[in-house]
Coordinates of all heavy atoms in Angstrom, one line a residue:
L1 N 12.0 15.5 -4.4 CA 11.1 14.5 -3.8 C 11.4 14.3 -2.4 O 10.4 14.2 -1.6 CB 11.2 13.2 -4.6 CG 10.8 13.2 -6.1 CD1 11.0 11.8 -6.7 CD2 9.3 13.6 -6.2
E2 N 12.6 14.2 -2.0 CA 13.0 14.1 -0.6 C 12.5 15.2 0.3 O 12.0 15.1 1.4 CB 14.5 13.8 -0.4 CG 14.9 12.5 -1.0 CD 16.4 12.3 -0.8 OE1 17.2 13.3 -0.7 OE2 16.9 11.1 -0.8
A3 N 12.7 16.4 -0.3 CA 12.2 17.6 0.4 C 10.7 17.6 0.6 O 10.2 18.0 1.7 CB 12.7 18.9 -0.3
Y4 N 10.0 17.2 -0.5 CA 8.5 17.1 -0.4 C 8.1 16.1 0.7 O 7.2 16.3 1.4 CB 8.0 16.7 -1.8 CG 6.5 16.6 -1.9 CD1 5.8 17.7 -2.3 CD2 5.8 15.5 -1.5 CE1 4.4 17.7 -2.4 CE2 4.4 15.4 -1.6 CZ 3.7 16.5 -2.1 OH 2.4 16.4 -2.1
G5 N 8.8 14.9 0.7 CA 8.5 13.9 1.6 C 8.7 14.4 3.1 O 7.9 14.1 4.0
R6 N 9.8 15.1 3.3 CA 10.0 15.6 4.7 C 9.0 16.6 5.1 O 8.5 16.7 6.2 CB 11.4 16.2 4.8 CG 12.5 15.2 4.8 CD 13.8 15.9 5.1 NE 14.2 16.9 4.1 CZ 15.0 16.6 3.1 NH1 15.4 15.4 2.8 NH2 15.3 17.6 2.2
Q7 N 8.6 17.5 4.1 CA 7.6 18.6 4.4 C 6.2 18.0 4.7 O 5.5 18.5 5.6 CB 7.6 19.6 3.3 CG 6.6 20.7 3.5 CD 6.5 21.7 2.3 OE1 7.3 21.5 1.4 NE2 5.6 22.6 2.3
H8 N 5.8 17.1 3.9 CA 4.4 16.6 4.0 C 4.3 15.2 4.7 O 3.2 14.7 4.8 CB 3.8 16.4 2.6 CG 3.7 17.7 1.8 ND1 2.7 18.6 2.0 CD2 4.5 18.3 0.9 CE1 2.9 19.7 1.3 NE2 4.0 19.5 0.6
K9 N 5.4 14.7 5.2 CA 5.4 13.4 5.9 C 4.9 12.3 4.9 O 4.1 11.5 5.3 CB 4.6 13.4 7.2 CG 5.0 14.5 8.2 CD 6.4 14.3 8.7 CE 6.9 15.3 9.7 NZ 8.3 15.2 10.0
T10 N 5.4 12.4 3.7 CA 5.0 11.5 2.7 C 6.0 10.3 2.5 O 7.2 10.6 2.2 CB 4.8 12.2 1.3 OG1 3.9 13.3 1.5 CG2 4.3 11.3 0.2
P11 N 5.6 9.1 2.6 CA 6.5 8.0 2.3 C 7.0 8.0 0.8 O 6.2 8.3 -0.1 CB 5.7 6.7 2.6 CG 4.5 7.2 3.4 CD 4.3 8.6 3.0
L12 N 8.2 7.7 0.6 CA 8.8 7.5 -0.7 C 9.2 6.1 -1.0 O 9.7 5.4 0.0 CB 10.0 8.4 -0.9 CG 9.8 9.9 -0.5 CD1 11.2 10.6 -0.8 CD2 8.7 10.6 -1.3
V13 N 9.0 5.7 -2.2 CA 9.4 4.3 -2.6 C 10.3 4.4 -3.8 O 9.9 4.9 -4.9 CB 8.2 3.4 -2.9 CG1 8.7 2.0 -3.2 CG2 7.2 3.4 -1.8
A14 N 11.6 4.0 -3.6 CA 12.6 3.9 -4.8 C 12.5 2.5 -5.4 O 12.6 1.5 -4.6 CB 13.9 4.3 -4.3
I15 N 12.5 2.4 -6.7 CA 12.4 1.1 -7.4 C 13.5 1.1 -8.5 O 13.5 2.1 -9.3 CB 11.0 0.9 -8.0 CG1 9.9 1.3 -7.0 CG2 10.9 -0.6 -8.4 CD1 8.5 1.4 -7.7
H16 N 14.2 0.1 -8.6 CA 15.3 -0.1 -9.6 C 15.2 -1.5 -10.1 O 15.4 -2.4 -9.4 CB 16.6 0.3 -9.0 CG 17.7 0.6 -10.0 ND1 18.9 1.2 -9.7 CD2 17.6 0.5 -11.4 CE1 19.6 1.4 -10.9 NE2 18.8 0.9 -11.9
S17 N 15.1 -1.6 -11.4 CA 15.1 -2.9 -12.1 C 15.9 -2.8 -13.3 O 15.8 -1.9 -14.2 CB 13.6 -3.3 -12.5 OG 13.6 -4.5 -13.2
A18 N 16.9 -3.8 -13.5 CA 17.7 -3.9 -14.6 C 18.1 -5.3 -14.9 O 18.7 -6.0 -14.0 CB 19.0 -3.0 -14.4
G19 N 17.8 -5.8 -16.0 CA 18.2 -7.2 -16.3 C 17.5 -8.2 -15.4 O 16.3 -8.0 -15.1
F20 N 18.2 -9.1 -14.8 CA 17.6 -10.1 -13.9 C 17.6 -9.6 -12.5 O 17.2 -10.4 -11.6 CB 18.5 -11.4 -14.0 CG 18.2 -12.2 -15.2 CD1 19.0 -12.2 -16.3 CD2 17.0 -13.0 -15.3 CE1 18.8 -13.0 -17.4 CE2 16.8 -13.8 -16.4 CZ 17.6 -13.8 -17.5
Y21 N 18.0 -8.4 -12.2 CA 18.1 -7.9 -10.8 C 17.1 -6.7 -10.6 O 16.8 -6.0 -11.5 CB 19.5 -7.3 -10.6 CG 20.6 -8.4 -10.6 CD1 21.9 -8.0 -11.0 CD2 20.4 -9.7 -10.3 CE1 22.9 -9.0 -11.0 CE2 21.4 -10.6 -10.4 CZ 22.7 -10.3 -10.7 OH 23.7 -11.2 -10.8
S22 N 16.8 -6.5 -9.4 CA 16.0 -5.4 -9.0 C 16.1 -5.2 -7.5 O 16.5 -6.1 -6.7 CB 14.5 -5.6 -9.4 OG 13.9 -6.6 -8.6
Y23 N 15.7 -4.0 -7.0 CA 15.5 -3.8 -5.6 C 14.5 -2.6 -5.4 O 14.2 -1.9 -6.4 CB 16.8 -3.4 -4.9 CG 17.3 -2.0 -5.1 CD1 16.8 -1.0 -4.3 CD2 18.2 -1.7 -6.1 CE1 17.3 0.3 -4.4 CE2 18.7 -0.4 -6.2 CZ 18.2 0.6 -5.4 OH 18.7 1.9 -5.6
F24 N 13.9 -2.6 -4.3 CA 13.1 -1.4 -3.9 C 13.4 -1.0 -2.5 O 13.8 -1.9 -1.7 CB 11.6 -1.7 -4.1 CG 11.0 -2.7 -3.2 CD1 10.5 -2.5 -1.9 CD2 11.0 -4.0 -3.7 CE1 10.0 -3.4 -1.2 CE2 10.4 -5.0 -2.9 CZ 9.9 -4.7 -1.6
R25 N 13.2 0.3 -2.2 CA 13.6 0.8 -0.9 C 12.5 1.7 -0.4 O 12.1 2.6 -1.1 CB 14.9 1.5 -0.9 CG 15.4 1.9 0.5 CD 16.9 2.2 0.5 NE 17.4 2.4 1.9 CZ 17.6 3.6 2.4 NH1 17.4 4.7 1.7 NH2 18.0 3.7 3.6
L26 N 12.0 1.5 0.9 CA 11.0 2.4 1.5 C 11.7 3.4 2.3 O 12.5 3.1 3.2 CB 10.1 1.5 2.3 CG 9.5 0.3 1.7 CD1 8.6 -0.5 2.7 CD2 8.7 0.6 0.4
H27 N 11.2 4.7 2.1 CA 11.7 5.8 2.9 C 10.5 6.3 3.7 O 9.7 7.1 3.1 CB 12.3 6.9 2.0 CG 13.3 6.4 1.0 ND1 14.6 6.1 1.4 CD2 13.2 6.1 -0.3 CE1 15.3 5.7 0.3 NE2 14.4 5.7 -0.7
L28 N 10.4 6.0 4.9 CA 9.2 6.3 5.7 C 9.5 7.6 6.5 O 10.6 7.9 6.9 CB 8.8 5.2 6.6 CG 8.5 3.9 6.0 CD1 8.2 2.8 7.0 CD2 7.3 4.1 5.1
P29 N 8.5 8.4 6.7 CA 8.7 9.7 7.4 C 8.9 9.5 8.9 O 8.0 9.6 9.7 CB 7.4 10.5 7.1 CG 6.3 9.4 6.9 CD 7.1 8.2 6.3
G30 N 10.1 9.2 9.3 CA 10.4 8.9 10.7 C 9.8 7.6 11.2 O 9.7 6.7 10.4
A31 N 9.5 7.5 12.5 CA 9.0 6.3 13.1 C 7.6 6.0 12.5 O 6.8 6.9 12.5 CB 9.0 6.4 14.6
F32 N 7.4 4.8 12.1 CA 6.2 4.4 11.5 C 5.6 3.2 12.2 O 6.0 2.1 12.0 CB 6.4 4.1 10.0 CG 5.1 4.0 9.2 CD1 4.5 5.1 8.6 CD2 4.5 2.7 9.0 CE1 3.4 5.0 7.9 CE2 3.4 2.6 8.2 CZ 2.8 3.8 7.7
P33 N 4.6 3.5 13.1 CA 4.1 2.4 13.9 C 3.0 1.6 13.2 O 2.2 2.2 12.4 CB 3.5 3.1 15.1 CG 3.1 4.5 14.6 CD 4.1 4.8 13.5

């Protein structure tokens, strides 16, 4: 997925939820204005 994102300049979003906790993280293709 990371290789695909770099090649196509595609943003990736990681999501993790377990019990009462969660987080998400945005991986943008370089500078994103």
